[in-house]
Amino acid sequence: MAPNPYDWIEKSLETIHRADWYRSVQPLAGRPGPVVMVEGQPLINFASNDYLGLAGDERLVQAAIAATQALGTGTTGSRLLSGHRDLHRDLEQAIARLKQTEDAVVFSSGYLANVGAIAALVGARDLILSDQYNHSSIRSGARLSGATVLDYRHNSLDDLADLLQQHRSQHRRCLIVTDTVFSMDGDLCPLPGILALAETHEAMVLVDEAHGTGVMGDRGAGGVEHLGCSGRSLIQMGTLSKALGSLGGYVAGSAPLVDYLRNRAATWIYTTGLTPADTGAAIAALDLVEREPQRRQRLWQNVAFLQQAIADLAAQERSPFQLLPSESPILCLQVADPATAIAFSQDLRRQGLWVSAVRPPTVPTSRLRLTVMATHEPAHLEKLVFALGHL
Ligand SMILES: *Cc1c(COP(=O)(O)O)cnc(C)c1O
């Protein structure tokens, strides 16, 4: 028999299984919220990115229905051809208003926003300096750009300064890229220091606000606002799919930057415009971010309660976990090894709590990762603390 050129796929899957790296999907029934139905079991949800509890909000659902009724299900083409609607501009202007930037452009996902923006901003003659813990979409964009890519140690201004000193002069343009809120740790980037270095070395800065938008800052504008850097020249990328409960990504910044991306970002030019449903839901979410600051207040009260309660547990003798430093609604409990992380996650699940186990190679050390929501009730949080105290 002729050799089958697809045989390697099953072998590769076996290897993934053997390394305990195999991943599978979890079917969630009904609308997302602080309590979700997973395989027939109600679980208190500490595993979503729905920080404000908007993904299941009736007003977003109605906005998506209204936009679909008016404009149909698909946009039928690229924004530059038949796929542009006034609703897209409304959304882009709402993002620019929240971010206090001149303009914004929406992509079909945050992943595509990073890939398209980074590959459009730098090329073979240029340099990218990237935090070692940056999101996968930043890495993909950096590779695709053809630029020289150097990782700096997580949140290390010293390492970033050294790399700029050593390498900046050999390159035409330089782009420093960082998450504002790190998705697998919950800590924040040292943005004022990064901007100061960028100024000295004539470098552009792109921040990924995926976990910051709607959550951080007095107005919910994001990590840039929280870190006191609103109005500085930098490029802000983010997603509509986390606190905003919809789907899509964006880049916000100066008018020339956004105009340039509309002409040069391949992942914007050669893909279909955002659906009316996603666009309408995101506009409704941005409206609620502005009009319901009490959601953000609830979220931060919940974060403060859990931070304190978990810190108290972790301080006890023989605590099986250590609370990693966090300044966001992402709280991580570091444990001894991958097997412990999985066992704890399963134990919590049996008690009706949905908490993710995150393991290498995604992160350097195994941990339980939990995300807090504005719509968690005190009883939800107390049940979690009780269960964590008995692990
Ligand atoms: C989720 C995420 C993205 C990708 O956003 P999507 O809209 O889900 O594609 C990009 N960067 C970070 C840091 C993220 O957490």
Side-chain angles (χ1 to χ4, degrees):
M1 249 189 356
N4 180 340
Y6 302 98
D7 272 351
W8 67 269
I9 296 174
E10 281 172 43
K11 291 207 186 75
S12 205
L13 269 173
E14 279 164 30
T15 309
I16 295 169
H17 273 293
R18 248 181 285 124
D20 257 337
W21 284 1
Y22 185 76
R23 297 157 181 229
S24 55
V25 297
Q26 307 264 348
L28 190 153
R31 287 191 194 178
V35 179
V36 288
M37 290 299 288
V38 183
E39 292 175 323
Q41 187 194 5
L43 297 176
I44 304 173
N45 185 4
F46 292 99
S48 87
N49 298 312
D50 187 17
Y51 299 107
L52 299 176
L54 292 179
D57 191 284
E58 184 60 24
R59 292 164 293 182
L60 269 70
V61 172
Q62 289 307 323
I65 291 170
T68 306
Q69 290 282 9
L71 301 172
T73 50
T75 54
T76 79
S78 158
R79 292 277 297 280
L80 290 173
L81 297 173
S82 61
H84 178 73
R85 305 288 177 271
D86 284 341
L87 204 62
H88 291 133
R89 274 316 278 164
D90 295 347
L91 173 57
E92 288 166 343
Q93 279 162 1
I95 293 167
R97 252 195 326 276
L98 177 68
K99 292 283 176 181
Q100 296 184 308
T101 57
E102 287 174 359
D103 205 352
V105 55
V106 294
F107 291 74
S108 303
S109 75
Y111 201 106
L112 290 171
N114 263 334
V115 170
I118 294 170
L121 290 168
V122 286
R125 294 155 67 192
D126 305 323
L127 175 65
I128 294 176
L129 297 173
S130 175
D131 188 287
Q132 69 177 130
Y133 287 1
N134 277 344
H135 189 261
S136 157
S137 53
I138 293 174
R139 298 174 182 287
S140 296
R143 259 199 314 275
L144 185 68
S145 74
T148 300
V149 186
L150 300 173
D151 280 2
Y152 58 90
R153 275 201 315 282
H154 178 52
N155 277 349
S156 170
L157 289 173
D158 288 343
D159 200 26
L160 177 59
D162 285 349
L163 290 174
L164 282 163
Q165 199 75 50
Q166 278 179 45
H167 298 275
R168 173 68 186 95
S169 62
Q170 287 102 274
H171 297 272
R172 180 184 58 168
R173 298 198 277 261
C174 177
L175 178 67
I176 302 170
V177 193
T178 181
D179 291 5
T180 51
V181 180
F182 284 88
S183 54
M184 291 298 147
D185 294 79
D187 55 347
L188 307 183
C189 74
L191 191 55
I194 291 172
L195 288 173
L197 283 172
E199 217 158 90
T200 311
H201 294 271
E202 201 192 330
M204 303 178 282
V205 176
L206 186 150
V207 292
D208 182 331
E209 287 268 54
H211 294 273
T213 302
V215 171
M216 310 292 303
D218 285 342
R219 296 170 50 252
V224 172
E225 181 191 20
H226 175 84
L227 294 162
C229 299
S230 305
R232 301 284 298 270
S233 36
L234 80 171
I235 302 164
Q236 301 187 49
M237 164 279 159
T239 178
L240 309 174
S241 67
K242 289 178 174 141
L244 302 180
S246 180
L247 182 68
Y250 64 81
V251 177
S254 72
L257 166 82
V258 171
D259 212 17
Y260 174 80
L261 291 177
R262 280 193 292 254
N263 285 276
R264 280 285 179 272
T267 62
W268 188 79
I269 298 169
Y270 299 104
T271 196
T272 301
L274 214 58
T275 66
D278 291 324
T279 312
I283 292 172
L286 285 164
D287 185 50
L288 293 176
V289 164
E290 191 183 327
R291 283 193 302 109
E292 297 187 349
Q294 63 272 24
R295 272 178 189 271
R296 221 155 25 251
Q297 285 158 14
R298 273 285 303 278
L299 173 65
W300 286 103
Q301 281 164 9
N302 286 348
V303 171
F305 171 84
L306 267 189
Q307 276 253 5
Q308 186 59 55
I310 295 172
D312 290 348
L313 289 176
Q316 284 173 9
E317 229 180 302
R318 291 201 305 275
S319 163
F321 52 77
Q322 192 192 333
L323 180 62
L324 296 180
S326 164
E327 296 170 79
S328 74
I330 300 167
L331 303 179
C332 290
L333 282 60
Q334 187 173 302
V335 298
D337 48 50
T340 308
I342 294 172
F344 282 177
S345 171
Q346 286 169 346
D347 188 4
L348 292 169
R349 178 139 173 189
R350 275 188 293 275
Q351 300 177 59
L353 296 154
W354 196 11
V355 175
S356 312
V358 189
R359 297 159 279 162
T362 307
V363 288
T365 55
S366 296
R367 64 200 65 178
L368 295 175
R369 172 183 183 270
L370 49 100
T371 48
V372 186
M373 297 176 69
T375 45
H376 280 137
E377 288 163 19
H380 297 148
L381 306 181
E382 280 155 19
K383 184 163 174 184
L384 174 70
V385 172
F386 179 84
L388 290 174
H390 292 79
L391 282 176

